[in-house]
Amino acid sequence: MTEDVFKKSTANLKKAVPLMMKNHVAATPANYALWYTYVDNTSPQLNSELENIVDNFGICPPSEGEKLYSKHIAPKAEIRLSDLRANIEILLGELATSMSDTLSDTSQFSAMIDKSFDNLERVENESMSLDEVMVIIRQLVAESKGIRHSTGFLTHQLSTASEEIHRLKTQLAEVQKDALFDSMSGLYNRRSFDNDIKILCQSEQHFCLILADIDHFKNYNDKYGHLFGDAVIRGLSRRLQTSCRDGATAYRFGGEEFAIVVPNRNIRVVRQFADSLRRAVEKLSIKDRRNGKQVGNITASFGVTEFQQNDTVESLIERADKLLYEAKQLGRNRVMPI
């Protein structure tokens, strides 16, 4: 390392670490790489996006930092997941081939058995010699060994596949655990929400929390099927995504429930924003693929609360959830508080 490079890296270190501490950023290698790049001024787009996040939230929430790292620092990270999918596809292909070969061998063996029985009947009917009978028996024994080898190979393949599937499931769980986004809705997932809301509460930044829940969601699943219910979740998620701007961030909280974090806005403004979300959901229409008809009258209820001094994550969520429950009790398709 040259003296100039050493001096530059030391200077960046002295800039990056205080900024990370100020913005409540954990000192992980990924976060350091992100903030080192920021103070190094080598990626104008990264700097612009990071500054917008800090302007909106007052800090850098973990999910936003992870997204920027994946986008600007390690854009190939998603290869881990694609590799897993490829491994699973290869595994399934090998199993399918083995099963096909074994089934083919079994079918041939069954036909050979039928033929052997026909031949054995000839022993009695045609008074075949002992040598001729032994030829038939040897053929039957040889074919039996072949099918035993084939089924034994499949058993070994299945045993190996079981171990490999367990390994891949464990690996996939780790990848999914590290993922930022919910695969169905495309929104930030519950893990991202938990990390962000914890940091926001600890830093006592000013923000509001909206909890939203799809009305009568169970009825959609019961009447139209779970695939339709999934389509409702995706459709509503897209409405939330397109409506969230200026730092407002939507998450899939769980099932048919969603959370929206809105920084630097008072509860009156955020309540109006929640009502605009409610009206956007009202316009939602989902196609029932079984009959091609559009299904409307999809609505959601909302509970809105504002972070208060000494709030914990639990007290904040509990307050929003209580208001959401009140909206449901008062007839649904409404925002609380009034």
Side-chain angles (χ1 to χ4, degrees):
M1 181 183 291
T2 65
E3 186 67 21
D4 288 343
V5 172
F6 178 78
K7 287 181 179 179
K8 182 179 180 182
S9 62
T10 302
N12 285 343
L13 172 67
K14 291 179 179 179
K15 293 177 185 176
V17 172
L19 281 174
M20 291 170 68
M21 294 174 65
K22 177 183 177 183
N23 289 285
H24 294 259
V25 176
T28 65
N31 285 337
Y32 179 69
L34 175 68
W35 286 87
Y36 182 98
T37 305
Y38 172 75
V39 299
D40 201 36
N41 288 312
T42 54
S43 175
Q45 186 178 355
L46 165 63
N47 284 27
S48 176
E49 291 178 21
L50 185 52
E51 286 165 4
N52 283 338
I53 290 167
V54 173
D55 286 344
N56 285 323
F57 286 94
I59 61 170
C60 182
S63 63
E64 297 290 347
E66 288 186 44
K67 185 173 72 172
L68 289 179
Y69 175 82
S70 297
K71 181 179 179 182
H72 296 285
I73 311 299
K76 302 300 181 183
E78 67 276 7
I79 289 175
R80 291 174 60 201
L81 189 56
S82 63
D83 285 346
L84 279 175
R85 289 183 181 136
N87 288 338
I88 290 172
E89 288 175 3
I90 292 169
L91 177 65
L92 292 175
E94 290 176 351
L95 279 177
T97 301
S98 295
M99 291 185 72
S100 177
D101 291 345
T102 301
L103 289 172
S104 176
D105 290 344
T106 304
S107 177
Q108 292 173 12
F109 180 66
S110 177
M112 188 277 299
I113 287 287
D114 291 340
K115 182 179 179 181
S116 296
F117 283 151
D118 290 340
N119 288 334
L120 288 171
E121 286 181 7
R122 288 171 51 212
V123 172
E124 183 177 358
N125 297 335
E126 301 177 15
S127 300
M128 296 176 68
S129 68
L130 180 60
D131 288 342
E132 290 173 320
V133 172
M134 289 305 296
V135 169
I136 295 172
I137 292 174
R138 288 193 192 100
Q139 184 181 1
L140 182 59
V141 170
E143 292 290 344
S144 297
K145 287 181 179 177
I147 190 65
R148 190 162 62 246
H149 172 76
S150 181
T151 54
F153 179 73
L154 177 60
T155 300
H156 174 71
Q157 285 284 87
L158 289 173
S159 176
T160 303
S162 178
E163 295 173 3
E164 180 67 3
I165 286 169
H166 177 73
R167 185 187 70 80
L168 290 173
K169 281 176 66 178
T170 302
Q171 192 177 351
L172 185 59
E174 288 300 314
V175 173
Q176 290 175 332
K177 181 181 176 183
D178 293 337
L180 287 170
F181 299 98
D182 173 68
S183 58
M184 180 186 295
S185 66
L187 302 177
Y188 281 117
N189 59 22
R190 178 62 184 266
R191 170 184 171 269
S192 297
F193 173 80
D194 289 343
N195 289 339
D196 288 355
I197 206 75
K198 179 181 178 182
I199 295 297
L200 286 167
C201 287
Q202 288 176 348
S203 62
E204 297 191 341
Q205 297 297 315
H206 179 241
F207 69 98
C208 288
L209 172 64
I210 304 171
L211 287 185
D213 188 271
I214 301 172
D215 295 329
H216 302 296
F217 183 71
K218 185 177 182 300
N219 291 349
Y220 294 123
N221 282 332
D222 292 344
K223 185 174 181 181
Y224 301 105
H226 288 278
L227 291 179
F228 182 84
D230 292 347
V232 171
I233 288 175
R234 286 192 291 268
L236 186 140
S237 299
R238 285 192 293 269
R239 289 294 167 95
L240 295 182
Q241 238 171 358
T242 55
S243 300
C244 286
R245 47 181 72 91
D246 298 327
T249 308
Y251 308 79
R252 188 176 179 195
F253 191 71
E256 67 272 23
E257 195 167 5
F258 303 84
I260 303 98
V261 172
V262 186
N264 293 323
R265 302 288 187 279
N266 62 45
I267 192 167
R268 181 181 61 81
V269 172
V270 175
R271 195 210 168 279
Q272 292 174 351
F273 171 61
D275 200 55
S276 71
L277 294 177
R278 181 191 65 79
R279 293 194 302 271
V281 172
E282 269 187 329
K283 299 173 184 176
L284 196 60
S285 177
I286 303 294
K287 185 177 183 178
D288 182 1
R289 296 190 179 278
R290 296 178 304 181
N291 55 29
K293 294 182 179 178
Q294 293 292 129
V295 178
N297 297 319
I298 297 168
T299 63
S301 300
F302 297 78
V304 184
T305 192
E306 189 171 19
F307 178 78
Q308 299 171 5
Q309 192 173 15
N310 300 322
D311 252 336
T312 63
V313 170
E314 292 76 14
S315 65
L316 181 71
I317 293 175
E318 184 179 354
R319 197 162 59 248
D321 197 49
K322 183 179 178 182
L323 288 162
L324 173 58
Y325 179 77
E326 289 179 15
K328 294 280 190 183
Q329 291 296 104
L330 290 172
R332 297 180 172 82
N333 190 26
R334 65 187 65 225
V335 177
M336 288 296 292
I338 296 174

